[in-house]
């Protein structure tokens, strides 16, 4: 009985790992076995986009690259989208500087608070805006949907495990189930609603901390050729 695994890397990271650095060295093979009854998957796809440096000295791209190297050594197929950097004017939702400025700048004898309130008053009835830099991942959800449907209609599997809480996957999951595939969806964060996915998936569950803890890679990870790959220091 063959099952394929489709992992939305960003959704998994934001939903379950971003605030748990000690669990980021995640073994997707062991996690898949944990989620599907202990027998190994026939194939795993990991959908992600290369991270861009957010500020000088930001080592996030290097940490991501290290983890992707490990996945590659495990035989996991990495499907890359792209990360787009852009700027946009966005409205403030708070006028107290402690809530919308990080790091917080000093009060300067009350002058800063006074100026912020003046800005809010001048913008009424609208809210003041700031020009911010945003990073957005593109194509990963489309790639996941495309590979899922391709493999379904090529008859490569009879079960699929989808690790994502993205409701945009509603239609491809629906089509997969209608084609006779058992599709289990595991949502990384309990703050993400089950939504319409539960109406079409064969099974829906939330990922738990215990499942993450029991599915960690060796530290260090040993490649098939015997070299060692260590997790980033901040992930320990």
């Amino acid at each position: 009985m063959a099952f394929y695994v489709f992992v939305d890397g960003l959704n998994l990271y934001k939903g379950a790992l971003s605030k748990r650095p000690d669990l980021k060295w995640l073994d997707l093979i062991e996690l898949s076995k944990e989620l599907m009854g202990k027998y190994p998957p026939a194939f795993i796809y990991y959908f992600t986009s290369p991270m861009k440096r957010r500020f000088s000295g930001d080592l996030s791209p290097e940490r991501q690259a290290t983890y992707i190297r490990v996945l590659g050594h495990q035989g996991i197929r990495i499907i890359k989208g792209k990360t787009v950097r852009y700027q946009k004017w966005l409205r403030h939702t708070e006028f107290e500087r402690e809530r919308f400025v990080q790091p917080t700048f000093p009060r300067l004898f009350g002058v800063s608070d006074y100026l912020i309130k003046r800005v809010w008053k001048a913008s009424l009835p609208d809210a003041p805006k700031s020009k911010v830099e945003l990073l957005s991942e593109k194509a990963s959800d489309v790639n996941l949907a495309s590979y899922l449907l391709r493999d379904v209609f090529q008859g490569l599997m009879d079960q699929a495990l989808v690790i994502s809480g993205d409701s945009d996957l509603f239609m491809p999951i629906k089509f997969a189930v209608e084609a006779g595939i058992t599709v289990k969806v595991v949502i990384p964060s309990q703050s993400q609603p089950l939504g319409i996915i539960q109406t079409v998936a064969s099974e829906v569950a939330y990922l738990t901390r215990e499942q993450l803890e029991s599915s960690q890679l060796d530290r260090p990870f040993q490649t098939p050729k015997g070299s060692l790959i260590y997790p980033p220091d901040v992930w320990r």
Side-chain angles (χ1 to χ4, degrees), residues 184-226:
K184 179 175 181 177
V185 178
V186 175
I187 299 176
S189 172
Q190 295 194 13
S191 65
Q192 295 174 288
L194 295 176
I196 57 176
I197 292 295
Q198 65 181 329
T199 67
V200 293
S202 307
E203 181 183 353
V204 180
Y206 282 114
L207 186 60
T208 68
R209 182 182 179 91
E210 290 72 25
Q211 290 165 338
L212 294 171
E213 289 176 342
S214 63
S215 305
Q216 293 295 301
L217 292 160
D218 291 336
R219 300 168 182 256
F221 172 83
Q222 186 172 4
T223 71
K225 292 185 177 181

Side-chain angles (χ1 to χ4, degrees), residues 5 41 44 50 53 61 69 72 75 82 94-95 98 100 113 124 132 156 190 194 199 203 227 231:
V5 183
I44 300 178
R53 215 173 298 282
R69 280 175 54 213
K82 60 181 180 180
E94 300 284 350
F95 69 88
E98 291 89 350
F100 76 86
D113 292 328
L124 292 174
V132 300
L156 299 177
Q190 295 194 13
L194 295 176
T199 67
E203 181 183 353
S227 60

Side-chain angles (χ1 to χ4, degrees), residues 11-29:
N11 200 277
L12 172 61
Y13 177 81
K14 287 190 172 181
L17 300 174
S18 64
K19 296 181 180 179
R20 297 166 172 168
D22 57 315
L23 299 179
K24 290 180 180 179
W25 201 235
L26 183 62
D27 189 331
L28 295 179
I29 296 176

Side-chain angles (χ1 to χ4, degrees), residues 20-75:
R20 297 166 172 168
D22 57 315
L23 299 179
K24 290 180 180 179
W25 201 235
L26 183 62
D27 189 331
L28 295 179
I29 296 176
E30 288 301 316
L31 180 63
S32 300
K33 290 164 62 177
E34 178 79 19
L35 296 173
M36 293 293 283
K38 300 301 181 181
Y39 61 95
F43 205 83
I44 300 178
Y45 294 101
Y46 184 77
F47 300 89
T48 189
S49 294
M51 296 185 68
K52 290 184 179 291
R53 215 173 298 282
R54 296 163 296 171
F55 49 85
S56 177
D58 179 19
L59 297 179
S60 298
E62 286 80 2
R63 291 195 290 266
Q64 181 195 40
T66 298
Y67 182 62
I68 288 176
R69 280 175 54 213
V70 170
L71 299 186
H73 283 298
Q74 290 185 295

Side-chain angles (χ1 to χ4, degrees), residues 152-153 174-181:
V152 166
F153 293 116
K174 180 176 185 292
F175 288 156
V177 172
E178 289 176 351
I181 305 300

